[in-house]
Amino acid sequence: MLVVSEVTVNHLYTPTGLTKTPKISWVLESTIEKTKQVSYEIYVSPDENFENIIFCKNEESSASLLIPLDFEMESLKKYYVKVRVKGNYGNKTNFFVTNFTTGIINRELFLGNFITDEKEEDYNSMSGRLLRQTFLIEKEIESAYSVTTSLGVYKFRINGDFVGSHILAPGWTSYNKNLLYQTNEITSFLKKGENVFGAHIGPAWYKGKMGFDENINNYGKHSGFYGLFLINYKDGTKEFLYTDENWKGFKSTVVFSEIYDGEIYDATIEKNNIWTTDFNDEDYNPTKKIDFSFNNLNSQSGCYVKEQECFLPKKIIRTPKEEIVLDFGQNLTGYLEFNLPETKLGETIELKFFEVLDKEGNVYTENLRKAKQTIIYKCKDKKDVKYKPHFTFQGFRYVEIVSFPTEVKKEYFKAIALYSDMKKTLKFETSNPLINQLHHNIEWGLKGNFLDIPTDCPQRDERLGWTGDAQIFCQTASYIMDTYTFFEKWLTDLKLEQEEDGGVPYVIPDIIDKTKDNWKEHGTHSAAAWSDVAVINPWVLYNTYGDIDIILNQYDSMKKWIDFMEDNSTSYIWSYKKQFGDWVALDAEVGSYLGATPDELITTAYFAYSTELFAKMAKIIKNEEDYEYYSSLYEKVLYTFRKKFFTENGEMTTKTQTGHILALKFNLVEDKYKEQTVNNLIELLNKENGHLVTGFVGTPYFCSALSKNGKIAEAYNLLLKEDFPSWLYQVKMGATTIWEHWDGINEKGEMWSSDMNSFNHYAYGAIGQWMYEDMLGLNFDEENPGFKHFYIKPNATTLFSKVKGKFKSPYGLIKIKWKTKGNNVTLKFTIPPNTSGTVIVNNSEKTYESGTYEINYTI
Ligand code: BGC
């Protein structure tokens, strides 16, 4: 039996707010081997019953990914899509029906104003604001849609009910160039008669303290709200409503809120009936218009931050210092909800969030630096008190109950993990529980740092979109979850924030205050491995998800970055202000974060790698001229690298692990010197007693540089090391996420310097890529992106009796499982319909079409 088991539109399930050409993809499932699609039919209609077909496509084709629906879409309209396919055995599937809703296609509809009720003296205020208006609806409603966004973050309600489940919308973008709006269907929220529309806004990234310089009002001095509402009446007429100066506003019960510091909530100033028509807002503040160009408004049609998972406290700890602490057993990013039977006026609840206990088992908050991560709730006489923060989030495993009106009981609390809404795509399990925990920690590194933008860490006074971290981790993350729309959004900001000369900022959105002298000297953009995110991430996304749009959208930005490197190079070795080197490597000099590998080796290696990838992408989009130019540039950089960093005898001039890893991984070593180079790398490893001393740049590729050059046993030895420094050292120390430093907590239980010691930093989790590609064996094929054809190249070893994984590829579920018994390996795998996979083991290869197979071999 053949079925269409899911359909996505522009990578999303039932998106709302689509403004670009919808592209439809579907997944096929079949019980019959070697199933292929021979044709498909797609129908689009504005009605659920498909009575009025406005677009159809009927093609003899095996294509099932990102089929464009070229028809003219109207703004704020729901379209239904049905798809069915015919397989090579003559059978047709049932129709799979889905829908999507458009955003604002006709930009002239953007009318009304961004509004605020803040006055000049509120510039420094970090309180929440409530904005409110009533609308009279006199006719029967057919359907209705809202388009909302804010300067700050917001929650929008109609008649008291929250519209949309997004948290901290509109997220963090380069607001003054790109502000995202959210589209929702609001038909069921409205009623005939008076309706109350209201927004609660908080300062968050827009207005609150962010970045290294502790600046507030980074994007503007007033938080504000914008709404556009369309009501389609049953009589065929339409009405547009907008936010304007007739709305009223006032300070909310959230009297203080910031991303780093937390929130203060004052229940004593709660007002009744705000969301009902009985509420009298006559005496409240008038609102005024904020100038904000509608040209900067763009639609977000999915991948919103949402409440994703809940944790109950595992235990309540009383520390040696008598602190009362909740332990949730998992380091996560989100907030705490409490539900109390009763509170009394005058009581205060104070909660402090943190990641680890110190050596003695007491609360440890020093690594948060200046971030307060504190919630204060001022109580009033009330029954059934329920609270969770509105406009902030914390990175924590533990919560210190600093003050509490009653006995602390587990059942009062719930931790809620927040992250961007992405499809989970990988399940991975082995016979080694420590490796399973490592995979778990990698996954939670992702969950904790994919809160609207890819952050370095979620807890201290940083939480920034560091480009290097996002580059290093992109492929690993893209196996674990479908990151396409997440990175597509962030890369759009990268493009917008890129310097005129092509330089790529250290952090995106670029919050660094360039007016400060220290930054002028140090630089705020363009570091090797960091800025290469501009090229590497589109490449990863293209291969993993098969969407050429990411190359087209980012093409100019990528090219500008390569040109920047060329323009700033002398004889093909580039340099520019501050580099981060092999960040936090253990071979750094005492007191330095910069590993021992010289900057020029890293800049040149990445120059070569990014240029090679860019030339490939030029070819993919058939830009022959660029392909020629950048291929030849690549050859020149490669030649330079070989000349500069190898002696005539094929020895590397730099004797660091990372130097050798980059040369091997980026294929910069002449064939005749490969063996020598990998042997030298092993020597460097042996010098450290088999341990890595690499940082952000070398670590992700260490195992790969070994195993791809025939040193499989050595790669496994490295992965499986349990003592410091190693991935499993952290696991054995009880980590539930990935640490920033190999020795965030050393063997004596002492902390690394508190100036930079995050316990939720995904960078070293980039080893996931090796675990999924080289252990399990899942590999994409550049010639057939999106896993239309792929490779299964496991490195089975007697060190594991079992390794198995399931990956939800864009074409369907790929399953791989290998088991060992002595030297005998059983490899079982499933290839989804309409794809093929080539299995490479023991130097022999065979290609399989869809189905489930088992093969046996010896190692
Ligand atoms: C961040 C890193 C980042 C680095 C660059 C740190 O403060 O936490 O992850 O890549 O700075 O220097």
Side-chain angles (χ1 to χ4, degrees):
M1 182 130 123
L2 180 65
V3 287
V4 175
S5 63
E6 71 172 53
V7 176
T8 49
V9 186
N10 295 357
H11 302 269
L12 299 163
Y13 301 116
T14 61
T16 52
L18 231 64
T19 51
K20 288 183 273 180
T21 307
K23 293 191 175 171
I24 308 290
S25 309
W26 54 92
V27 167
L28 294 174
E29 279 178 25
S30 168
T31 44
I32 310 170
E33 261 184 25
K34 298 185 182 157
T35 295
K36 281 190 197 149
Q37 170 187 306
V38 291
S39 65
Y40 65 79
E41 294 162 70
I42 303 174
Y43 300 90
V44 180
S45 167
D47 61 85
E48 225 170 334
N49 304 320
F50 290 86
E51 274 158 19
N52 173 18
I53 305 286
I54 53 169
F55 175 86
C56 75
K57 208 167 187 173
N58 201 330
E59 302 249 319
E60 302 267 310
S61 160
S62 68
S64 60
L65 199 66
L66 299 157
I67 310 295
L69 309 184
D70 305 295
F71 69 97
E72 218 162 291
M73 300 190 294
E74 276 177 47
S75 298
L76 299 180
K77 200 170 170 75
K78 191 169 188 171
Y79 293 96
Y80 295 87
V81 184
K82 60 178 184 178
V83 181
R84 76 169 165 191
V85 313
K86 193 170 145 193
N88 52 335
Y89 299 109
N91 43 345
K92 276 190 182 174
T93 64
N94 285 339
F95 277 111
F96 189 105
V97 183
T98 187
N99 65 68
F100 64 89
T101 302
T102 53
I104 302 294
I105 315 275
N106 170 10
R107 298 185 74 93
E108 280 164 20
L109 292 177
F110 284 125
L111 295 171
N113 293 315
F114 276 82
I115 51 164
T116 186
D117 77 311
E118 286 182 350
K119 304 188 189 66
E120 213 163 308
E121 62 262 29
D122 295 318
Y123 281 176
N124 298 331
S125 156
M126 295 304 151
S127 71
R129 315 295 306 191
L130 282 166
L131 298 170
R132 179 184 183 284
Q133 170 67 311
T134 52
F135 289 111
L136 180 63
I137 294 177
E138 287 173 309
K139 295 192 276 182
E140 295 294 328
I141 302 164
E142 174 70 39
S143 61
Y145 297 94
S146 66
V147 163
T148 47
T149 188
S150 65
L151 306 174
V153 294
Y154 75 99
K155 287 168 186 279
F156 173 55
R157 297 189 195 216
I158 296 178
N159 299 321
D161 294 326
F162 287 114
V163 175
S165 52
H166 24 73
I167 305 288
L168 297 165
W172 190 8
T173 52
S174 314
Y175 298 121
N176 294 325
K177 297 172 186 153
N178 176 33
L179 175 66
L180 301 180
Y181 65 83
Q182 290 69 45
T183 305
N184 284 286
E185 181 169 358
I186 52 169
T187 320
S188 63
F189 290 77
L190 298 174
K191 55 178 197 245
K192 222 169 145 187
E194 291 273 354
N195 289 269
V196 183
F197 284 35
H200 192 183
I201 323 162
W205 298 285
Y206 184 86
K207 193 181 145 150
K209 186 169 59 191
M210 282 310 298
F212 297 107
D213 303 293
E214 293 188 54
N215 290 346
I216 58 164
N217 298 331
N218 283 293
Y219 296 93
K221 289 176 174 166
H222 291 304
S223 55
F225 178 66
Y226 176 73
L228 176 171
F229 314 101
L230 165 66
I231 306 174
N232 297 308
Y233 292 109
K234 288 215 160 124
D235 64 6
T237 58
K238 278 177 192 298
E239 185 176 14
F240 283 97
L241 305 169
Y242 300 96
T243 41
D244 60 21
E245 284 145 276
N246 294 318
W247 285 52
K248 285 291 184 69
F250 43 95
K251 207 167 164 172
S252 85
T253 40
V254 177
V255 293
F256 171 87
S257 177
E258 268 184 1
I259 297 287
Y260 298 145
D261 287 348
E263 197 158 292
I264 304 175
Y265 184 89
D266 189 353
T268 65
I269 56 169
E270 281 175 352
K271 295 179 179 69
N272 292 328
N273 306 330
I274 295 185
W275 306 116
T276 68
T277 46
D278 303 339
F279 185 74
N280 182 354
D281 63 11
E282 254 168 47
D283 296 336
Y284 291 103
N285 302 330
T287 54
K288 62 176 188 215
K289 158 182 174 193
I290 306 179
D291 283 325
F292 187 88
S293 169
F294 289 133
N295 292 337
N296 299 333
L297 275 187
N298 292 305
S299 178
Q300 179 181 24
S301 38
C303 205
Y304 307 113
V305 174
K306 287 193 173 166
E307 293 188 352
Q308 303 278 5
E309 293 173 59
C310 282
F311 289 80
L312 302 177
K314 283 237 152 40
K315 49 186 172 192
I316 299 174
I317 303 168
R318 187 174 284 271
T319 72
K321 283 190 182 161
E322 297 288 314
E323 297 142 327
I324 297 174
V325 169
L326 306 175
D327 176 5
F328 285 94
Q330 174 62 52
N331 198 4
L332 59 93
T333 303
Y335 43 53
L336 185 82
E337 179 181 292
F338 61 76
N339 286 278
L340 281 176
E342 189 173 14
T343 54
K344 291 259 174 288
L345 183 69
E347 294 168 342
T348 302
I349 296 168
E350 184 172 338
L351 310 164
K352 241 180 193 320
F353 295 75
F354 64 102
E355 293 183 291
V356 285
L357 295 166
D358 71 9
K359 195 176 167 190
E360 282 76 36
N362 293 312
V363 173
Y364 182 77
T365 56
E366 277 168 48
N367 68 325
L368 305 175
R369 305 197 303 219
K370 289 196 190 117
K372 290 201 185 80
Q373 289 223 120
T374 299
I375 298 296
I376 295 175
Y377 181 96
K378 295 184 181 160
C379 307
K380 68 173 186 184
D381 289 341
K382 196 174 173 181
K383 295 241 184 300
D384 299 324
V385 178
K386 184 176 174 147
Y387 167 85
K388 60 186 174 188
H390 300 73
F391 308 123
T392 184
F393 62 88
Q394 287 76 47
F396 67 101
R397 167 175 168 170
Y398 300 97
V399 183
E400 182 190 0
I401 313 287
V402 181
S403 82
F404 205 66
T406 171
E407 190 197 340
V408 175
K409 290 188 185 161
K410 280 193 203 170
E411 63 258 33
Y412 295 155
F413 306 98
K414 183 159 91 179
I416 301 171
L418 300 174
Y419 48 87
S420 293
D421 208 20
M422 297 168 288
K423 194 178 2 168
K424 252 187 147 187
T425 43
L426 182 73
K427 270 198 174 155
F428 176 81
E429 201 193 317
T430 74
S431 50
N432 182 331
L434 294 175
I435 292 293
N436 295 345
Q437 182 66 35
L438 175 62
H439 169 66
H440 169 98
N441 295 0
I442 295 170
E443 189 171 322
W444 274 93
L446 187 167
K447 290 174 177 177
N449 285 294
F450 276 51
L451 194 153
D452 201 61
I453 61 155
T455 52
D456 55 335
C457 57
Q459 72 300 79
R460 67 177 177 227
D461 53 351
E462 201 158 344
R463 313 185 193 190
L464 305 179
W466 276 100
T467 46
D469 310 44
Q471 182 272 109
I472 294 162
F473 192 59
C474 182
Q475 183 66 71
T476 298
S478 302
Y479 285 127
I480 299 175
M481 290 203 193
D482 184 338
T483 65
Y484 187 88
T485 49
F486 177 84
F487 276 120
E488 182 193 35
K489 161 190 174 289
W490 184 73
L491 287 168
T492 302
D493 282 313
L494 181 146
K495 188 162 66 175
L496 294 169
E497 300 268 35
Q498 203 164 353
E499 304 288 321
E500 290 261 296
D501 61 1
V504 176
Y506 295 157
V507 294
I508 305 288
D510 186 6
I511 191 87
I512 299 178
D513 184 350
K514 299 186 180 69
T515 62
K516 295 260 158 73
D517 284 346
N518 61 326
W519 290 112
K520 277 187 197 148
E521 205 178 301
H522 179 293
T524 60
H525 65 87
S526 302
W530 271 248
S531 304
D532 293 283
V533 73
V535 176
I536 295 171
N537 287 31
W539 174 248
V540 168
L541 298 176
Y542 168 72
N543 281 301
T544 313
Y545 306 112
D547 194 342
I548 200 167
D549 278 356
I550 199 72
I551 300 183
L552 296 168
N553 293 345
Q554 299 299 129
Y555 192 78
D556 293 343
S557 152
M558 299 193 239
K559 188 168 163 176
K560 273 168 77 180
W561 169 240
I562 307 286
D563 292 347
F564 177 92
M565 291 192 277
E566 192 182 4
D567 293 347
N568 286 283
S569 66
T570 315
S571 311
Y572 303 102
I573 295 191
W574 77 272
S575 68
Y576 188 79
K577 295 198 176 176
K578 171 92 177 153
Q579 293 295 314
F580 299 119
D582 187 18
W583 187 247
V584 296
L586 291 169
D587 56 9
E589 277 174 25
V590 180
S592 167
Y593 289 127
L594 307 173
T597 308
D599 283 351
E600 349 187 83
L601 187 150
I602 299 174
T603 59
T604 315
Y606 267 94
F607 187 10
Y609 184 53
S610 285
T611 307
E612 186 191 19
L613 297 185
F614 180 68
K616 284 188 190 180
M617 288 189 267
K619 185 155 199 186
I620 290 164
I621 65 158
K622 302 192 169 51
N623 187 331
E624 282 305 321
E625 201 182 313
D626 280 357
Y627 172 65
E628 292 297 327
Y629 180 84
Y630 291 96
S631 302
S632 125
L633 177 62
Y634 165 68
E635 291 300 334
K636 289 174 199 149
V637 184
L638 178 66
Y639 177 81
T640 306
F641 187 91
R642 290 175 171 172
K643 264 237 124 20
K644 171 101 190 164
F645 302 109
F646 283 88
T647 66
E648 277 172 10
N649 306 325
E651 285 289 300
M652 285 202 80
T653 49
T654 293
K655 304 284 179 231
T656 63
Q657 294 179 352
T658 291
H660 287 70
I661 293 166
L662 289 186
L664 287 164
K665 173 69 190 180
F666 293 164
N667 233 336
L668 307 174
V669 187
E670 280 183 72
D671 282 346
K672 59 181 179 194
Y673 297 139
K674 274 196 178 151
E675 205 180 325
Q676 184 177 343
T677 311
V678 76
N679 285 337
N680 288 346
L681 176 57
I682 289 172
E683 225 169 84
L684 290 165
L685 196 52
N686 291 341
K687 238 171 80 185
E688 306 292 341
N689 205 8
H691 291 99
L692 46 71
V693 290
T694 48
F696 275 29
V697 170
T699 304
Y701 304 134
F702 209 146
C703 289
S704 173
L706 292 169
S707 66
K708 295 243 164 39
N709 290 286
K711 305 293 178 190
I712 294 160
E714 287 79 357
Y716 274 116
N717 279 346
L718 185 64
L719 177 75
L720 294 172
K721 276 260 163 315
E722 293 181 14
D723 56 342
F724 169 79
S726 66
W727 290 279
L728 297 186
Y729 166 75
Q730 300 185 353
V731 170
K732 290 196 94 176
M733 291 294 281
T736 59
T737 36
I738 301 288
W739 296 353
E740 181 172 23
H741 295 279
W742 294 115
D743 48 352
I745 303 177
N746 71 19
E747 283 150 315
K748 293 188 215 133
E750 294 154 350
M751 301 286 173
W752 219 85
S753 156
S754 61
D755 71 346
M756 223 180 63
N757 196 16
S758 150
F759 292 94
N760 197 356
H761 231 78
Y762 52 54
Y764 289 152
I767 187 60
Q769 180 179 355
W770 188 80
M771 287 159 48
Y772 319 138
E773 289 180 353
D774 293 77
M775 278 174 77
L776 181 64
L778 176 72
N779 287 266
F780 58 71
D781 170 10
E782 286 176 29
E783 304 296 322
N784 295 281
F787 293 85
K788 176 77 178 154
H789 168 263
F790 53 94
Y791 294 99
I792 299 180
K793 292 194 276 188
N795 282 306
T797 164
T798 51
L799 296 165
F800 289 83
S801 58
K802 180 186 75 187
V803 171
K804 63 175 185 175
K806 286 183 191 171
F807 173 64
K808 221 172 170 201
S809 81
Y811 288 94
L813 198 62
I814 299 172
K815 294 190 206 169
I816 305 175
K817 174 156 117 187
W818 55 259
K819 283 182 168 181
T820 56
K821 222 179 201 172
N823 291 333
N824 297 319
V825 183
T826 307
L827 173 67
K828 212 173 161 185
F829 51 91
T830 301
I831 316 256
N834 214 23
T835 70
S836 59
T838 300
V839 178
I840 306 183
V841 287
N842 284 354
N843 293 325
S844 75
E845 61 174 75
K846 186 173 169 192
T847 299
Y848 296 79
E849 284 171 27
S850 77
T852 296
Y853 304 89
E854 186 177 301
I855 58 173
N856 295 291
Y857 60 100
T858 51
I859 41 172

